[in-house]
Amino acid sequence: MPSVEILSRSTEETISQGRELAASLRPPLLILLTGELGAGKTTLAKGIISGLGVAAEEDITSPTFTLIHTFTGRVKVFHVDLYRVSDVHDFDTLGLEELFAEPAIVLIEWPERMRLRTDWPVLRIALEHVADDVRKITIAETVPDKFARRSSGTA
Amino acid sequence: MRILGIESSCDETAAAVVADGATILSSVVASQVDIHRKYGGVVPELASREHLRQIVPVVREAVLQADIALRDIDAVGVTQGPGLVGSLLVGLTYGKVLALALGKPLIGVNHLEGHVHAVLLEAHAGGRAPKLPAMCLIVSGGHTLLYRVEAKSNASGNGALQLSYSRVGGTRDDAAGEAYDKVARMLALGYPGGPIIDKLAVHGNPSAVRFNEPKMGGNQYDFSFSGIKTAVLYYLRKRPELQPEIDAREQALARGERNADALRVLSSATTLDLVASFQHAVVEGLIRRTLAAAEQFGAASVLVSGGVAANRELRTRFEEESRKYGLETFFPSRALSTDNAAMIAAAAYPRLVAGERADASLNAQPNFPLGKVVESLELKV
């Protein structure tokens, strides 16, 4: 499946691109956000989650420390950050498989730190810092995969 | 009345015995920093496993150091949230069972309320009491929050000060401590980032690198630290000549050389200036908003709590700046700044006195908000 590439020139633009993207998202869906520190993963997540209408933009903060933020509204949304999980763990070990108990939209930052297993559709979003405030956002859709595999990080 | 406090919301397994919400009889903290260091952060699975290993000896030690027997405890106060659910459950379940077995009251405590009480405990130990209402900044790896703290009623009969909290502001993106950890990671300075950056910052020029003030609409008392983190990244991107020293520090850390002197030798003036400027920008952002909020909301004093409250520059600058506003700033001691159980026991006391009791259905609340909760617990005298 071909991937889509967009450019963002500011934080505000990244947020509005997230909002636009949100309009086409339906649960169940797993969104993997990859990119190095400061690439804009949380910023894009802010746009997507506020676009889904489950929280105000200013209430969507980094889940680095808290690991999982749960939002309930029109749809159930989980914002997960595996930054602090450094070695590769199995999804089950951390109890994260519960996130997939019912249809939801699950956004995961730093997904390369864990072995993910799901038969949900997957949206891979890679963020790359190209120049000063310019970010390249590459979005690729993956068909549901019934087999266990390790997600690939592009950072 | 003696309360046994239990805390296990994140890295630390802690237990303490506090008399009348004011006098610390014992405070025991088993930190997991060494375990998490090699992972650059908290690994939740390790965290809950370590809490399980530590909880029994830590509680036993706290009771022993308080020189009492378990049955002499009047109540058990336990952190209910916010925090990592797996970690919270260890302390919560242990506290619940202990209270049940001893036939003593159980009180669920908000971890953030504990941080407010950490400052009050310290002030009390020094024979002082912050004037209320106060503006309280809770600043750590996971939190950057501003609360207005006021007295609900000062019950004369038992001296338990009932407090109420209203949230004034908070971070829109990263917590201040998280920005420290991430910048330390970019520069290969080890984990946690706060103490090492604070030590190295002394050797750099804090005005060498200018960080733009984040542009934010809406609540002017909100914080943002993501922009500073990204600015550090841009700065490093433009200076590939810094990469060899980053690699050298990475190797030093791998050899276990993580003290400030060892890392300083491996840091150029450019890096030290960057570190000093980063810290200056973070500290300024924290102070400016806290003092502006204190003025706006008519606070009579300023409280600063949480892990980042141990930061030397933050303390010095807060004291200097708040004096200009005619406000006194109160900090907890270093030991009470980071997570501990004495603050949990202290926060449980007014709730115990107010007649609050948790039952066996008490559950962990990973996103437990603070504010408006205490108002319903007003003491009836």
Side-chain angles (χ1 to χ4, degrees):
Chain A
M1 195 167 279
S3 60
V4 182
E5 245 181 56
I6 46 177
L7 282 184
S8 164
R9 280 166 197 82
S10 68
T11 302
E12 293 73 26
E13 212 178 313
T14 305
I15 291 177
S16 65
Q17 281 157 349
R19 286 176 165 277
E20 272 170 42
L21 183 64
S24 63
L25 304 179
R26 301 282 175 278
L29 180 67
L30 173 61
I31 302 173
L32 305 179
L33 296 157
T34 58
E36 64 177 64
L37 277 178
K41 298 179 295 297
T42 304
T43 307
L44 187 68
K46 235 180 201 297
I48 295 174
I49 297 166
S50 62
L52 289 167
V54 292
E57 204 181 293
E58 63 266 27
D59 293 331
I60 301 152
T61 57
S62 166
T64 296
F65 201 78
T66 34
L67 284 168
I68 303 172
H69 290 169
T70 309
F71 303 93
T72 327
R74 195 170 56 78
V75 286
K76 192 148 198 180
V77 180
F78 295 103
H79 185 194
V80 184
D81 189 332
L82 302 178
Y83 177 75
R84 289 155 88 80
V85 183
S86 291
D87 58 348
V88 175
H89 281 252
D90 247 309
F91 222 36
D92 313 349
T93 333
L94 299 184
L96 293 180
E97 77 280 6
E98 281 168 32
L99 303 185
F100 298 88
E102 50 182 300
I105 293 180
V106 180
L107 295 97
I108 304 187
E109 299 188 36
W110 300 96
E112 57 271 44
R113 312 235 162 157
M114 194 177 283
R115 271 185 280 269
L116 304 171
R117 195 166 33 228
T118 177
D119 52 8
W120 287 12
V122 177
L123 203 60
R124 293 170 184 279
I125 306 182
L127 291 104
E128 201 184 333
H129 169 231
V130 268
D132 265 1
D133 277 326
V134 185
R135 303 289 197 283
K136 188 170 81 182
I137 305 172
T138 313
I139 305 171
E141 208 171 335
T142 316
V143 287
D145 185 350
K146 299 238 182 242
F147 303 98
R149 63 186 147 71
R150 193 184 160 188
S151 78
S152 61
T154 52
Chain B
M1 278 202 276
R2 285 174 292 218
I3 299 183
L4 170 70
I6 298 176
E7 151 70 31
S8 68
S9 62
C10 192
D11 311 38
E12 267 86 34
T13 320
V17 180
V18 175
D20 302 328
T23 312
I24 302 173
L25 302 182
S26 68
S27 182
V28 178
V29 179
S31 177
Q32 302 183 13
V33 170
D34 285 339
I35 296 159
H36 294 306
R37 184 170 275 146
K38 64 176 185 160
Y39 300 102
V42 175
V43 182
E45 183 210 0
L46 290 184
S48 46
R49 204 179 278 172
E50 270 308 295
H51 285 305
L52 271 175
R53 212 169 60 82
Q54 305 275 20
I55 187 81
V56 176
V58 164
V59 169
R60 215 172 264 164
E61 185 63 24
V63 172
L64 193 73
Q65 284 187 17
D67 205 17
I68 55 168
L70 254 183
R71 62 176 178 280
D72 299 331
I73 301 287
D74 295 296
V76 177
V78 63
T79 306
Q80 201 184 343
L84 304 174
V85 69
S87 298
L88 285 167
L89 279 171
V90 176
L92 187 85
T93 309
Y94 190 81
K96 210 191 269 186
V97 172
L98 196 60
L100 194 69
L102 295 169
K104 305 289 183 185
L106 174 72
I107 315 284
V109 176
N110 186 308
H111 178 81
L112 299 168
E113 187 176 11
H115 277 301
V116 177
H117 279 268
V119 192
L120 303 180
L121 267 175
E122 183 70 22
H124 183 269
R128 304 187 309 159
K131 288 190 199 129
L132 297 173
M135 188 54 59
C136 182
L137 170 69
I138 300 173
V139 58
S140 66
H143 307 286
T144 306
L145 290 160
L146 266 180
Y147 285 97
R148 184 174 189 268
V149 182
E150 56 193 320
K152 284 303 292 176
S153 64
N154 201 347
S156 52
N158 44 46
L161 183 65
Q162 302 290 323
L163 299 174
S164 79
Y165 310 88
S166 7
R167 188 182 184 278
V168 170
T171 184
R172 298 263 182 100
D173 37 56
D174 298 2
E178 178 183 340
Y180 270 99
D181 285 344
K182 287 186 172 172
V183 164
R185 178 100 151 204
M186 290 178 203
L187 289 167
L189 296 174
Y191 172 86
I196 185 75
I197 286 179
D198 195 24
K199 282 185 190 127
L200 294 180
V202 187
H203 306 288
N205 172 7
S207 41
V209 185
R210 262 190 65 88
F211 293 101
N212 293 329
E213 175 68 11
K215 284 175 286 200
M216 287 194 297
N219 184 358
Q220 56 175 315
Y221 304 114
D222 278 349
F223 301 90
S224 168
F225 296 103
S226 172
I228 300 178
K229 170 192 76 185
T230 308
V232 171
L233 176 77
Y234 289 177
Y235 186 91
L236 293 175
R237 277 274 176 99
K238 284 188 186 135
R239 286 164 188 79
E241 68 272 19
L242 294 177
Q243 197 54 47
E245 59 172 286
I246 292 175
D247 294 341
R249 287 193 297 267
E250 203 77 74
Q251 285 157 18
L253 290 175
R255 288 193 302 269
E257 297 163 21
R258 49 185 64 256
N259 70 69
D261 291 333
L263 294 170
R264 186 190 159 193
V265 173
L266 298 170
S267 303
S268 62
T270 312
T271 296
L272 295 171
D273 285 351
L274 175 66
V275 164
S277 303
F278 163 77
Q279 162 141 307
H280 183 75
V282 172
V283 166
E284 284 303 307
L286 291 170
I287 291 177
R288 200 171 40 256
R289 281 180 187 75
T290 306
L291 294 181
E295 195 169 44
Q296 169 74 30
F297 293 93
S301 63
V302 174
L303 318 178
V304 184
S305 195
V308 181
N311 185 286
R312 170 201 52 82
E313 188 175 328
L314 185 81
R315 284 178 175 248
T316 320
R317 297 277 298 121
F318 243 116
E319 275 166 1
E320 286 168 10
E321 291 299 313
S322 61
R323 214 170 289 136
K324 292 181 192 164
Y325 285 75
L327 296 168
E328 196 176 356
T329 303
F330 293 82
F331 299 94
S333 64
R334 204 163 277 266
L336 287 173
S337 293
T338 48
D339 291 351
N340 64 86
M343 68 183 198
I344 302 303
Y349 177 66
R351 292 175 175 274
L352 176 72
V353 171
E356 186 181 332
R357 300 290 183 270
D359 60 24
S361 67
L362 186 74
N363 209 347
Q365 281 188 251
N367 306 316
F368 200 4
L370 176 64
K372 312 285 181 204
V373 184
V374 182
E375 281 170 4
S376 60
L377 299 169
E378 205 168 338
L379 192 60
K380 295 167 199 74
V381 180

